[in-house]
Amino acid sequence: MKKILYTLLAILTLAACTNETVGDARQEKSMPQIYPDYIGVTVPVNIAPLCFCMADETASLVDAVVTDRHGRSLHSQGQEAVNFDLDDWHALLGQNRGDSLSVTVSAKYDDGWHTYRPFTIHVSPDSIDYGICYRLIAPGHEVWSKMGIYERDLSSFEERPLIENTQFEGCVNCHSFNRANPADMSLHIRGSHGATLLRQDYGPVTAYNTKTDQTLGLCVYPYWHPSGRYIAYSTNTTRQTFHSAHPNRIEVFDEASDLQVYDIGKNELLLTPLLKQDSVYETYPVFSADGRSLYFCAAQALPEGNHQLDSIRYNLCRVDFNPETGQFGDSIDIIVDAVAQRKSVSFPRPSYDGRYLCYTLSDYGQFSIWHREADLFLLDLSTGQNLPMTGANSDDTESFHNWSSNSRWLVLSSRRDDGLYTRPYFCHVDTKGRCSKAFMLPQRNPRRFYRERFLSYNVPDFITGPTRFDAHQASRAINDEYRKDFGVRQDSPQ
């Protein structure tokens, strides 16, 4: 039904297109104010058309002409938004890979046409992955309603559900893929039918019980080892509270948390005392690109009775990991000492080429999705240089993020649009770590689409192809009482 509605919306938008001649236009010295802001962005050659509206909403018509250096052009005009033809758009971008396009915008108001100073869109030679996968969830903090995991084709506007909780009672979250490869997938279900679903090489889905008598609780925040043999998890005892008068609104925090690595082939959780310290909160584990290190966030635990949540600050840490033996190193290194800066690290994500690590920096805590001060930083793993990602950041929240498979694009969650809903943005990171201006996920009529979709995009991750996820098989596994238990292997540090 949702797909039909979006198709009808596309048809109505096309029907609203006109061909009125832009005549006697007032020539403005300023660039146009458009929504979304696509002025000066860098885009992949295979991205969907950057359709846009006038930001002020009072124009009766909006007109755009996109031209390249060789005189080739693309034109669109509409009552609410410009809507470029999909095939023509891709043809023009393909002809200008590594070059720039010029966009001239005109808008018709009560006093006639206004034509604005042209702006550029740079077409990167680096393509982007097939799509992204995310959870769509309505605002809610104690209970949940309908939600699901969805995939979006980035070269078009097509969105498809992987699984929705209308097929069972529960919450879906913590979806994860191995370096954007949809063949290897982990998905967590909460509620009365709680389970972790695992799939390898597009094989059948198996439902696991990840709670053991030697761990705090269920395994969450998964991250795949590049070999596909292991998955790193944290186990968290999480609480939340609400600010009475604070722009951050909600605080989510851990009362306890540990780390472990799951050996899929042996069906064993690998535990080490080094990552199970009662005096330390360990969370957000991720493997390095070569699979021989485990990065994670760690904070000193609050003393019992201390509820000063704004004093909890996490450093970025690292421990050795031997993928041949499944053993951990004997010491922990601090990679980013955020505590010394009175800051806190969350969501570390190494690029798959091993060059960079992107993380979120906020004032305190580890759940930065409601922290308006949260920004993205880029750590150069070869030099140790640590810089803010100015092009990606805004005055509102930047939080969760993931790399494309070629390590040239980031998808990031931001509340910059309206301060309430997280939406996916993209930015290019070149080989020297330079970050382009972030742009919002394209839609055919972006203002109507985002204004009418009261849902947040949660945990966006790239996928290199369609997930081919069998929702009916997964629902049967979820509704079945059978769960495969995790085994446990205690490991002494090397």
Side-chain angles (χ1 to χ4, degrees):
M1 177 61 71
K2 183 181 295 183
K3 184 175 180 180
I4 294 173
L5 290 174
Y6 286 150
T7 302
L8 289 173
L9 175 60
I11 294 171
L12 290 173
T13 303
L14 287 168
C17 294
T18 65
N19 291 298
E20 183 174 323
T21 301
V22 177
D24 298 323
R26 175 178 174 178
Q27 301 298 311
E28 303 287 354
K29 296 181 179 179
S30 62
M31 289 186 181
Q33 299 293 313
I34 60 173
Y35 176 83
D37 179 8
Y38 290 139
I39 296 175
V41 298
T42 296
V43 300
V45 69
N46 52 333
I47 195 68
L50 301 189
C51 304
F52 58 84
C53 314
M54 297 304 292
D56 61 13
E57 302 188 45
T58 60
S60 58
L61 288 174
V62 56
D63 183 281
V65 179
V66 185
T67 59
D68 66 8
R69 299 180 190 273
H70 307 286
R72 292 176 292 234
S73 66
L74 183 63
H75 175 248
S76 178
Q77 187 181 107
Q79 293 178 353
E80 293 185 1
V82 294
N83 182 20
F84 302 107
D85 178 83
L86 187 67
D87 293 335
D88 292 345
W89 171 267
H90 284 303
L92 188 62
L93 264 62
Q95 292 161 346
N96 289 275
R97 192 170 192 149
D99 207 342
S100 293
L101 300 172
S102 177
V103 184
T104 301
V105 175
S106 302
K108 187 177 183 181
Y109 295 95
D110 290 342
D111 62 349
W113 283 99
H114 295 245
T115 297
Y116 299 88
R117 186 156 61 93
F119 65 87
T120 59
I121 295 174
H122 182 70
V123 184
S124 171
D126 299 316
S127 60
I128 205 166
D129 287 327
Y130 158 81
I132 57 172
C133 188
Y134 42 82
R135 179 172 69 163
L136 287 176
I137 184 170
H141 312 293
E142 298 292 343
V143 296
W144 58 73
S145 57
K146 180 184 176 181
M147 69 173 72
I149 308 294
Y150 301 82
E151 64 180 58
R152 161 70 189 265
D153 182 345
L154 290 177
S155 67
S156 71
F157 302 99
E158 185 177 355
E159 179 184 86
R160 295 180 295 274
L162 274 65
I163 189 167
E164 296 173 313
N165 67 346
T166 54
Q167 299 159 291
F168 57 90
E169 182 181 353
C171 162
V172 290
N173 67 343
C174 289
H175 55 280
S176 177
F177 307 95
N178 185 6
R179 295 186 171 212
N181 179 4
D184 296 335
M185 181 178 178
S186 173
L187 175 64
H188 189 58
I189 309 296
R190 281 190 287 188
S192 58
H193 297 280
T196 291
L197 306 183
L198 289 183
R199 182 183 76 172
Q200 288 184 286
D201 196 23
Y202 291 115
V205 167
T206 302
Y208 288 84
N209 169 31
T210 61
K211 172 71 174 72
T212 75
D213 58 6
Q214 298 182 53
T215 52
L216 288 172
L218 298 170
C219 292
V220 295
Y221 303 147
Y223 194 93
W224 289 75
H225 191 270
S227 68
R229 175 180 172 180
Y230 303 101
I231 305 176
Y233 289 105
S234 68
T235 303
N236 305 62
T237 303
T238 303
R239 299 287 183 268
Q240 69 176 354
T241 187
F242 297 84
H243 294 290
S244 57
H246 195 285
N248 288 346
R249 299 173 185 267
I250 301 163
E251 203 61 53
V252 179
F253 59 97
D254 287 339
E255 291 184 334
S257 56
D258 294 325
L259 302 184
Q260 51 268 313
V261 170
Y262 177 57
D263 186 326
I264 300 174
K266 295 183 178 180
N267 189 35
E268 289 180 336
L269 275 183
L270 310 181
L271 308 182
T272 173
L274 201 62
L275 302 176
K276 281 180 92 281
Q277 302 181 55
D278 292 340
S279 61
V280 178
Y281 301 147
E282 305 101 341
T283 191
Y284 297 137
V286 293
F287 286 108
S288 60
D290 64 5
R292 295 194 169 273
S293 296
L294 187 69
Y295 292 100
F296 59 97
C297 300
Q300 289 298 311
L302 287 180
E304 188 173 351
N306 186 337
H307 301 292
Q308 294 180 322
L309 301 180
D310 58 359
S311 67
I312 304 176
R313 294 186 172 91
Y314 288 76
N315 284 328
L316 176 64
C317 300
R318 187 195 68 85
V319 65
D320 289 338
F321 180 77
N322 187 331
E324 284 78 30
T325 64
Q327 290 184 301
F328 300 90
D330 58 6
S331 62
I332 293 174
D333 299 320
I334 296 177
I335 305 302
V336 174
D337 190 349
V339 176
Q341 309 170 49
R342 296 186 62 80
K343 294 289 185 179
S344 190
V345 171
S346 58
F347 305 128
R349 283 295 185 273
S351 60
Y352 302 129
D353 62 4
R355 179 67 189 278
Y356 298 106
L357 185 146
C358 180
Y359 63 90
T360 304
L361 195 70
S362 57
D363 286 346
Y364 61 90
Q366 51 80 31
F367 200 83
S368 52
I369 197 65
W370 279 106
H371 281 238
R372 296 192 64 187
E373 81 283 358
D375 279 333
L376 300 185
F377 278 68
L378 193 67
L379 170 64
D380 188 326
L381 294 172
S382 64
T383 67
Q385 187 180 37
N386 218 345
L387 294 173
M389 301 185 72
T390 305
N393 293 326
S394 70
D395 293 334
D396 214 310
T397 305
E398 274 70 56
S399 190
F400 193 86
H401 48 273
N402 264 314
W403 292 91
S404 63
S405 62
N406 63 3
S407 299
R408 294 280 69 86
W409 298 93
L410 272 177
V411 58
L412 57 117
S413 300
S414 179
R415 292 193 194 274
R416 72 186 68 185
D417 188 32
D418 58 14
L420 296 174
Y421 294 93
T422 53
R423 290 177 177 135
Y425 288 73
F426 302 87
C427 68
H428 182 259
V429 182
D430 69 14
T431 56
K432 295 183 179 180
R434 293 174 297 202
C435 176
S436 69
K437 177 180 176 179
F439 65 93
M440 187 190 287
L441 175 67
Q443 307 293 348
R444 286 195 185 278
N445 187 328
R447 182 160 54 227
R448 182 184 294 271
F449 181 93
Y450 286 116
R451 184 170 289 175
E452 294 177 359
R453 174 170 267 195
F454 300 110
L455 299 170
S456 280
Y457 289 76
N458 186 244
V459 193
D461 195 2
F462 284 103
I463 46 176
T464 56
T467 57
R468 291 157 48 185
F469 189 78
D470 190 332
H472 297 292
Q473 182 202 64
S475 297
R476 288 195 297 271
I478 294 168
N479 289 313
D480 194 319
E481 294 182 359
Y482 172 75
R483 299 289 182 267
K484 186 174 182 178
D485 291 325
F486 274 5
V488 173
R489 189 184 89 193
Q490 289 286 350
D491 178 51
S492 298
Q494 296 174 2

